Amino acid sequence: MTTVHVEVWRDEHGVEWELVQLGLDEIGGSCVIRERNRLDEIDGDEREGFNVVARFGDRESAEEYLQGEGFYVD
């Protein structure tokens, strides 16, 4: 079983991206930044899920990317 940690980041306009850290039991753990597919919310089919914005090999690089794009953690 893979351990996952999800953290919500927001920008000044209220857009939310999630930083998903995979494999917490591994050293470093890879990360995915994802955004909920707004069209799925509108049509009510939330099963289709998320759009992957970026992938990183470590959390530090993912956080730097989010900060560079204007996102922050509440």
Coordinates of all heavy atoms in Angstrom, one line a residue:
M1 N 0.8 -1.2 0.0 CA 0.0 0.0 0.0 C 0.9 1.2 0.0 O 1.8 1.3 0.7 CB -0.9 0.0 1.2 CG -1.9 1.1 1.3 SD -3.1 0.9 2.5 CE -2.7 2.2 3.6
T2 N 0.6 2.2 -0.8 CA 1.3 3.4 -0.9 C 0.7 4.5 -0.1 O -0.5 4.7 -0.1 CB 1.4 3.9 -2.4 OG1 1.9 2.9 -3.2 CG2 2.2 5.2 -2.5
T3 N 1.5 5.2 0.7 CA 1.0 6.3 1.6 C 1.1 7.6 0.8 O 2.0 7.8 0.1 CB 1.9 6.4 2.8 OG1 2.0 5.2 3.5 CG2 1.4 7.4 3.8
V4 N 0.0 8.4 0.9 CA -0.1 9.6 0.1 C -0.5 10.7 1.0 O -1.2 10.6 2.0 CB -1.3 9.4 -1.0 CG1 -1.5 10.7 -1.7 CG2 -1.0 8.3 -1.9
H5 N 0.1 11.9 0.8 CA -0.2 13.1 1.5 C -0.7 14.2 0.5 O 0.0 14.4 -0.5 CB 1.0 13.6 2.3 CG 0.8 14.9 3.0 ND1 0.1 15.0 4.1 CD2 1.2 16.2 2.7 CE1 0.0 16.3 4.5 NE2 0.7 17.0 3.6
V6 N -1.9 14.8 0.8 CA -2.4 15.8 -0.1 C -2.5 17.1 0.7 O -3.0 17.2 1.8 CB -3.8 15.4 -0.6 CG1 -4.4 16.5 -1.5 CG2 -3.8 14.1 -1.3
E7 N -2.0 18.2 0.0 CA -2.0 19.5 0.6 C -2.6 20.5 -0.4 O -2.2 20.5 -1.6 CB -0.6 19.9 0.9 CG -0.4 21.1 1.7 CD 1.1 21.2 2.1 OE1 1.9 21.7 1.2 OE2 1.5 20.8 3.2
V8 N -3.5 21.3 0.0 CA -4.2 22.3 -0.9 C -3.4 23.6 -0.9 O -3.2 24.2 0.2 CB -5.7 22.5 -0.5 CG1 -6.3 23.5 -1.4 CG2 -6.4 21.2 -0.6
W9 N -3.1 24.1 -2.1 CA -2.5 25.4 -2.3 C -3.4 26.3 -3.0 O -4.1 25.8 -3.9 CB -1.2 25.3 -3.1 CG -0.1 24.6 -2.3 CD1 -0.1 23.3 -1.8 CD2 1.2 25.1 -2.0 NE1 1.1 23.0 -1.2 CE2 1.9 24.1 -1.4 CE3 1.8 26.3 -2.3 CZ2 3.2 24.3 -0.9 CZ3 3.1 26.5 -1.9 CH2 3.8 25.5 -1.2
R10 N -3.5 27.6 -2.7 CA -4.4 28.6 -3.4 C -3.6 29.7 -3.9 O -2.5 30.1 -3.4 CB -5.4 29.1 -2.4 CG -6.4 28.1 -2.0 CD -7.4 28.7 -1.0 NE -8.4 27.7 -0.6 CZ -8.1 26.7 0.3 NH1 -7.0 26.7 0.9 NH2 -9.1 25.8 0.6
D11 N -4.1 30.4 -5.0 CA -3.5 31.6 -5.5 C -4.4 32.8 -5.0 O -5.4 32.6 -4.4 CB -3.2 31.6 -7.0 CG -4.5 31.7 -7.8 OD1 -5.6 31.8 -7.3 OD2 -4.3 31.6 -9.1
E12 N -4.0 34.0 -5.4 CA -4.8 35.2 -5.0 C -6.2 35.2 -5.5 O -7.0 36.0 -5.0 CB -4.0 36.4 -5.3 CG -3.8 36.6 -6.8 CD -3.0 37.8 -7.2 OE1 -1.9 37.9 -6.6 OE2 -3.5 38.7 -7.9
H13 N -6.5 34.5 -6.6 CA -7.8 34.5 -7.2 C -8.7 33.3 -6.7 O -9.8 33.2 -7.1 CB -7.7 34.4 -8.7 CG -6.8 35.4 -9.3 ND1 -7.1 36.8 -9.3 CD2 -5.5 35.4 -9.8 CE1 -6.1 37.5 -9.8 NE2 -5.2 36.6 -10.1
G14 N -8.2 32.5 -5.8 CA -8.9 31.4 -5.2 C -8.8 30.1 -6.0 O -9.5 29.1 -5.6
V15 N -7.9 30.1 -7.0 CA -7.7 28.8 -7.7 C -7.0 27.9 -6.8 O -6.0 28.2 -6.1 CB -6.9 29.1 -9.0 CG1 -6.5 27.8 -9.7 CG2 -7.7 30.0 -9.9
E16 N -7.4 26.6 -6.7 CA -6.8 25.6 -5.9 C -6.1 24.6 -6.7 O -6.6 24.0 -7.6 CB -7.8 24.9 -5.0 CG -8.5 25.9 -4.0 CD -9.5 25.2 -3.1 OE1 -9.9 24.0 -3.4 OE2 -9.9 25.8 -2.2
W17 N -4.8 24.3 -6.3 CA -4.1 23.2 -6.8 C -3.7 22.3 -5.7 O -3.5 22.8 -4.6 CB -2.8 23.6 -7.6 CG -3.0 24.2 -8.9 CD1 -4.2 24.4 -9.6 CD2 -2.0 24.7 -9.8 NE1 -4.0 24.9 -10.8 CE2 -2.7 25.1 -11.0 CE3 -0.7 24.8 -9.7 CZ2 -2.0 25.7 -12.1 CZ3 0.0 25.4 -10.8 CH2 -0.6 25.8 -12.0
E18 N -3.6 21.0 -5.9 CA -3.2 20.1 -4.8 C -1.8 19.6 -5.0 O -1.4 19.2 -6.2 CB -4.2 19.0 -4.7 CG -5.5 19.4 -4.3 CD -6.5 18.2 -4.3 OE1 -6.2 17.1 -4.7 OE2 -7.6 18.5 -3.8
L19 N -1.0 19.6 -4.0 CA 0.3 19.0 -4.0 C 0.1 17.6 -3.4 O -0.2 17.5 -2.2 CB 1.3 19.8 -3.2 CG 2.7 19.2 -2.9 CD1 3.4 18.8 -4.2 CD2 3.5 20.1 -2.1
V20 N 0.3 16.6 -4.2 CA 0.1 15.2 -3.8 C 1.5 14.6 -3.7 O 2.2 14.4 -4.7 CB -0.8 14.4 -4.7 CG1 -1.0 13.0 -4.2 CG2 -2.1 15.2 -4.9
Q21 N 1.9 14.2 -2.5 CA 3.2 13.5 -2.3 C 2.9 12.0 -2.2 O 2.2 11.6 -1.3 CB 3.9 14.0 -1.0 CG 5.3 13.5 -0.9 CD 6.0 14.2 0.3 OE1 5.5 15.0 1.0 NE2 7.3 13.8 0.5
L22 N 3.5 11.3 -3.1 CA 3.3 9.8 -3.1 C 4.5 9.1 -2.4 O 5.6 9.6 -2.4 CB 3.3 9.4 -4.6 CG 2.3 10.2 -5.5 CD1 2.6 9.9 -6.9 CD2 0.9 9.9 -5.1
G23 N 4.2 8.0 -1.9 CA 5.2 7.1 -1.3 C 5.9 7.8 -0.1 O 7.2 7.9 -0.2
L24 N 5.2 8.2 0.9 CA 5.8 8.8 2.0 C 6.7 7.9 2.8 O 7.6 8.3 3.5 CB 4.7 9.3 3.0 CG 3.9 10.5 2.5 CD1 2.8 10.8 3.5 CD2 4.7 11.7 2.3
D25 N 6.5 6.6 2.6 CA 7.4 5.6 3.2 C 8.7 5.5 2.5 O 9.6 4.9 3.0 CB 6.7 4.2 3.3 CG 6.0 3.8 2.0 OD1 5.9 4.7 1.1 OD2 5.7 2.6 1.9
E26 N 8.8 6.1 1.3 CA 10.1 6.1 0.6 C 10.9 7.4 0.9 O 10.3 8.4 1.3 CB 9.8 6.0 -0.9 CG 9.0 4.8 -1.3 CD 8.6 4.9 -2.8 OE1 9.0 5.8 -3.5 OE2 7.7 4.1 -3.2
I27 N 12.1 7.4 0.7 CA 12.9 8.6 0.9 C 12.6 9.6 -0.2 O 12.7 9.3 -1.3 CB 14.4 8.2 0.9 CG1 14.8 7.3 2.1 CG2 15.3 9.5 1.0 CD1 16.2 6.9 2.2
G28 N 12.2 10.8 0.2 CA 11.9 11.8 -0.7 C 10.5 11.7 -1.2 O 9.7 12.6 -1.0
G29 N 10.1 10.7 -1.9 CA 8.8 10.5 -2.5 C 8.5 11.5 -3.6 O 8.8 12.7 -3.5
S30 N 8.0 11.0 -4.7 CA 7.7 11.8 -5.8 C 6.4 12.6 -5.5 O 5.6 12.3 -4.7 CB 7.5 11.0 -7.1 OG 6.4 10.1 -6.9
C31 N 6.2 13.7 -6.3 CA 5.0 14.6 -6.1 C 4.3 14.9 -7.4 O 5.0 14.9 -8.5 CB 5.5 15.9 -5.5 SG 6.1 15.8 -3.8
V32 N 3.0 15.1 -7.3 CA 2.2 15.5 -8.5 C 1.5 16.7 -8.0 O 0.9 16.8 -6.9 CB 1.2 14.4 -8.8 CG1 0.3 14.8 -9.9 CG2 2.0 13.1 -9.3
I33 N 1.4 17.7 -8.9 CA 0.5 18.9 -8.7 C -0.7 18.7 -9.6 O -0.5 18.4 -10.8 CB 1.3 20.2 -9.0 CG1 2.4 20.3 -8.1 CG2 0.3 21.4 -8.9 CD1 3.3 21.5 -8.4
R34 N -1.9 18.7 -9.0 CA -3.1 18.5 -9.8 C -4.1 19.6 -9.5 O -4.1 20.2 -8.5 CB -3.6 17.1 -9.5 CG -4.1 17.0 -8.1 CD -4.5 15.5 -7.8 NE -5.2 15.4 -6.5 CZ -5.6 14.3 -6.0 NH1 -5.5 13.2 -6.6 NH2 -6.1 14.3 -4.8
E35 N -5.0 19.7 -10.5 CA -6.1 20.7 -10.4 C -7.4 19.9 -10.7 O -7.5 19.2 -11.6 CB -5.9 21.8 -11.4 CG -7.0 22.8 -11.4 CD -6.8 23.9 -12.4 OE1 -6.1 23.7 -13.4 OE2 -7.3 25.0 -12.2
R36 N -8.4 20.2 -9.9 CA -9.7 19.5 -10.2 C -10.2 20.0 -11.5 O -10.2 21.2 -11.8 CB -10.7 19.9 -9.1 CG -12.1 19.2 -9.3 CD -13.0 19.2 -8.2 NE -12.6 18.5 -7.0 CZ -12.6 17.2 -6.9 NH1 -13.1 16.4 -7.8 NH2 -12.2 16.6 -5.8
N37 N -10.7 19.1 -12.3 CA -11.3 19.4 -13.6 C -12.6 20.2 -13.4 O -13.6 19.6 -13.0 CB -11.5 18.2 -14.4 CG -11.9 18.4 -15.8 OD1 -12.5 19.4 -16.1 ND2 -11.5 17.5 -16.7
R38 N -12.6 21.5 -13.7 CA -13.8 22.3 -13.4 C -15.0 21.9 -14.3 O -16.2 22.0 -13.9 CB -13.5 23.8 -13.7 CG -12.5 24.3 -12.8 CD -13.0 24.5 -11.4 NE -11.9 25.0 -10.6 CZ -11.8 24.8 -9.3 NH1 -12.7 24.1 -8.7 NH2 -10.9 25.3 -8.6
L39 N -14.8 21.4 -15.5 CA -15.9 20.9 -16.3 C -16.6 19.7 -15.7 O -17.8 19.5 -15.8 CB -15.4 20.5 -17.7 CG -14.8 21.7 -18.6 CD1 -14.3 21.2 -19.9 CD2 -15.9 22.7 -18.8
D40 N -15.8 18.8 -15.0 CA -16.4 17.7 -14.3 C -17.3 18.2 -13.2 O -18.4 17.6 -12.9 CB -15.4 16.7 -13.8 CG -14.7 16.0 -15.0 OD1 -15.3 15.9 -16.0 OD2 -13.6 15.5 -14.7
E41 N -16.9 19.2 -12.5 CA -17.8 19.8 -11.4 C -19.1 20.3 -12.0 O -20.1 20.1 -11.4 CB -17.0 20.9 -10.7 CG -15.9 20.4 -9.8 CD -15.2 21.5 -9.1 OE1 -15.9 22.6 -8.8 OE2 -14.0 21.4 -8.8
I42 N -19.0 21.0 -13.2 CA -20.2 21.6 -13.8 C -21.2 20.5 -14.2 O -22.4 20.6 -14.0 CB -19.8 22.5 -15.0 CG1 -19.0 23.7 -14.4 CG2 -21.0 22.9 -15.8 CD1 -18.4 24.6 -15.5
D43 N -20.7 19.5 -14.9 CA -21.6 18.5 -15.4 C -21.9 17.4 -14.4 O -22.6 16.4 -14.7 CB -21.1 17.8 -16.7 CG -19.8 16.9 -16.6 OD1 -19.5 16.6 -15.4 OD2 -19.3 16.6 -17.6
G44 N -21.4 17.5 -13.2 CA -21.7 16.6 -12.1 C -21.0 15.3 -12.1 O -21.2 14.4 -11.3
D45 N -20.0 15.1 -13.0 CA -19.3 13.8 -13.1 C -17.9 14.0 -12.5 O -16.9 14.1 -13.1 CB -19.1 13.4 -14.6 CG -18.6 11.9 -14.7 OD1 -18.4 11.3 -13.6 OD2 -18.5 11.5 -15.8
E46 N -17.9 14.0 -11.2 CA -16.6 14.3 -10.5 C -15.7 13.0 -10.4 O -14.6 13.1 -10.0 CB -16.9 14.8 -9.0 CG -17.6 16.1 -9.0 CD -17.6 16.7 -7.7 OE1 -16.8 16.4 -6.8 OE2 -18.6 17.5 -7.4
R47 N -16.2 11.9 -10.9 CA -15.4 10.7 -10.9 C -14.2 10.9 -11.9 O -13.2 10.2 -11.7 CB -16.3 9.5 -11.4 CG -17.3 9.1 -10.4 CD -18.2 8.1 -11.0 NE -18.8 8.6 -12.2 CZ -19.2 7.9 -13.3 NH1 -19.0 6.6 -13.2 NH2 -19.8 8.4 -14.3
E48 N -14.4 11.7 -12.9 CA -13.3 11.9 -13.9 C -12.1 12.6 -13.3 O -11.0 12.5 -13.8 CB -13.8 12.6 -15.1 CG -14.8 11.8 -15.8 CD -15.4 12.5 -17.0 OE1 -14.8 13.5 -17.5 OE2 -16.5 12.0 -17.5
G49 N -12.3 13.4 -12.2 CA -11.2 13.8 -11.4 C -10.4 15.0 -11.7 O -11.0 16.1 -11.8
F50 N -9.1 14.8 -11.9 CA -8.2 15.9 -11.9 C -7.3 16.0 -13.1 O -7.2 15.0 -13.8 CB -7.2 15.7 -10.7 CG -7.9 15.7 -9.3 CD1 -8.4 14.6 -8.8 CD2 -7.9 16.9 -8.6 CE1 -9.1 14.7 -7.5 CE2 -8.5 17.0 -7.4 CZ -9.1 15.9 -6.9
N51 N -6.8 17.2 -13.4 CA -5.8 17.4 -14.4 C -4.5 17.4 -13.7 O -4.3 18.2 -12.8 CB -6.1 18.7 -15.2 CG -7.4 18.7 -15.9 OD1 -7.8 17.6 -16.5 ND2 -8.1 19.8 -16.0
V52 N -3.5 16.7 -14.2 CA -2.1 16.8 -13.7 C -1.5 18.0 -14.3 O -1.4 18.1 -15.5 CB -1.4 15.5 -13.9 CG1 0.1 15.6 -13.5 CG2 -2.0 14.3 -13.2
V53 N -1.0 18.9 -13.5 CA -0.3 20.1 -13.9 C 1.2 19.9 -14.1 O 1.8 20.3 -15.1 CB -0.6 21.3 -12.9 CG1 0.2 22.5 -13.3 CG2 -2.1 21.5 -12.8
A54 N 1.8 19.1 -13.1 CA 3.2 18.9 -13.2 C 3.6 17.7 -12.3 O 2.8 17.4 -11.4 CB 4.0 20.2 -12.7
R55 N 4.7 17.1 -12.6 CA 5.3 16.0 -11.8 C 6.7 16.4 -11.4 O 7.5 16.9 -12.1 CB 5.3 14.7 -12.6 CG 4.0 14.3 -13.1 CD 4.1 13.0 -14.0 NE 2.9 12.7 -14.7 CZ 1.9 12.0 -14.3 NH1 2.0 11.5 -13.1 NH2 0.9 11.8 -15.0
F56 N 7.0 15.9 -10.1 CA 8.4 16.2 -9.6 C 8.9 15.0 -8.8 O 8.1 14.2 -8.3 CB 8.3 17.4 -8.6 CG 7.9 18.7 -9.3 CD1 6.6 19.1 -9.4 CD2 8.9 19.5 -9.9 CE1 6.2 20.2 -10.0 CE2 8.5 20.7 -10.5 CZ 7.1 21.1 -10.6
G57 N 10.2 14.9 -8.8 CA 10.9 13.8 -8.1 C 11.0 14.1 -6.6 O 11.3 13.1 -5.8
D58 N 10.8 15.3 -6.1 CA 10.9 15.6 -4.7 C 10.0 16.8 -4.3 O 9.5 17.6 -5.2 CB 12.3 16.0 -4.3 CG 12.8 17.2 -5.1 OD1 12.6 18.3 -4.6 OD2 13.4 17.0 -6.2
R59 N 9.6 16.8 -3.1 CA 8.7 17.8 -2.6 C 9.2 19.3 -2.7 O 8.5 20.2 -3.0 CB 8.4 17.5 -1.1 CG 7.3 18.4 -0.5 CD 7.0 18.1 0.9 NE 6.1 19.1 1.4 CZ 4.8 18.9 1.4 NH1 4.2 17.9 0.8 NH2 4.0 19.9 1.9
E60 N 10.5 19.5 -2.4 CA 11.1 20.8 -2.5 C 10.9 21.5 -3.8 O 10.5 22.6 -4.0 CB 12.5 20.8 -2.1 CG 12.8 20.4 -0.6 CD 12.7 18.9 -0.3 OE1 12.9 18.1 -1.3 OE2 12.4 18.6 0.8
S61 N 11.1 20.7 -4.9 CA 11.0 21.2 -6.3 C 9.5 21.6 -6.5 O 9.2 22.6 -7.2 CB 11.5 20.2 -7.3 OG 12.9 20.0 -7.1
A62 N 8.6 20.7 -6.1 CA 7.2 21.0 -6.3 C 6.7 22.2 -5.6 O 6.0 23.0 -6.1 CB 6.4 19.8 -5.8
E63 N 7.2 22.4 -4.3 CA 6.9 23.6 -3.6 C 7.4 24.9 -4.2 O 6.8 25.9 -4.3 CB 7.4 23.5 -2.1 CG 6.6 22.5 -1.3 CD 7.1 22.4 0.1 OE1 8.2 22.9 0.4 OE2 6.4 21.8 0.9
E64 N 8.6 24.8 -4.7 CA 9.2 26.0 -5.4 C 8.4 26.3 -6.7 O 8.2 27.5 -7.0 CB 10.7 25.6 -5.8 CG 11.7 25.7 -4.7 CD 13.1 25.2 -5.1 OE1 13.3 25.2 -6.4 OE2 13.9 24.9 -4.3
Y65 N 8.0 25.3 -7.4 CA 7.2 25.5 -8.6 C 5.9 26.2 -8.2 O 5.5 27.2 -8.8 CB 6.9 24.2 -9.3 CG 5.9 24.4 -10.5 CD1 6.4 24.8 -11.7 CD2 4.6 24.0 -10.3 CE1 5.5 24.9 -12.8 CE2 3.7 24.2 -11.4 CZ 4.2 24.6 -12.6 OH 3.4 24.8 -13.7
L66 N 5.2 25.7 -7.2 CA 3.9 26.3 -6.7 C 4.1 27.8 -6.3 O 3.3 28.6 -6.7 CB 3.3 25.5 -5.6 CG 2.6 24.2 -6.0 CD1 2.4 23.3 -4.8 CD2 1.3 24.5 -6.7
Q67 N 5.1 28.0 -5.5 CA 5.4 29.4 -5.1 C 5.7 30.3 -6.3 O 5.2 31.5 -6.3 CB 6.5 29.4 -4.1 CG 6.2 28.8 -2.8 CD 7.4 28.5 -1.9 OE1 8.5 28.7 -2.3 NE2 7.1 28.1 -0.7
G68 N 6.4 29.8 -7.2 CA 6.7 30.6 -8.4 C 5.5 30.9 -9.3 O 5.5 31.9 -10.0
E69 N 4.5 30.1 -9.2 CA 3.2 30.3 -9.9 C 2.2 31.1 -9.1 O 1.1 31.4 -9.5 CB 2.6 28.9 -10.3 CG 3.4 28.1 -11.3 CD 3.4 28.8 -12.6 OE1 2.4 29.2 -13.1 OE2 4.5 28.8 -13.2
G70 N 2.7 31.6 -7.9 CA 1.8 32.4 -7.1 C 0.9 31.7 -6.1 O -0.1 32.3 -5.6
F71 N 1.2 30.5 -5.8 CA 0.3 29.7 -4.9 C 1.0 29.7 -3.5 O 2.2 29.8 -3.3 CB 0.2 28.2 -5.4 CG -0.8 28.1 -6.6 CD1 -0.3 28.4 -7.8 CD2 -2.1 27.8 -6.4 CE1 -1.2 28.3 -8.9 CE2 -3.0 27.7 -7.4 CZ -2.5 27.9 -8.7
Y72 N 0.1 29.5 -2.5 CA 0.5 29.5 -1.1 C -0.4 28.5 -0.3 O -1.5 28.2 -0.8 CB 0.5 30.9 -0.5 CG -0.9 31.5 -0.5 CD1 -1.8 31.3 0.6 CD2 -1.4 32.2 -1.6 CE1 -3.1 31.8 0.5 CE2 -2.6 32.7 -1.6 CZ -3.5 32.5 -0.6 OH -4.8 33.1 -0.6
V73 N 0.1 28.1 0.8 CA -0.7 27.2 1.7 C -1.3 28.1 2.7 O -0.7 29.0 3.3 CB 0.2 26.2 2.4 CG1 -0.6 25.4 3.4 CG2 0.9 25.3 1.4
D74 N -2.6 27.8 3.0 CA -3.4 28.6 4.0 C -2.8 28.3 5.4 O -2.4 27.3 5.8 CB -4.8 28.3 4.0 CG -5.6 29.0 2.9 OD1 -5.1 30.0 2.4 OD2 -6.6 28.5 2.5

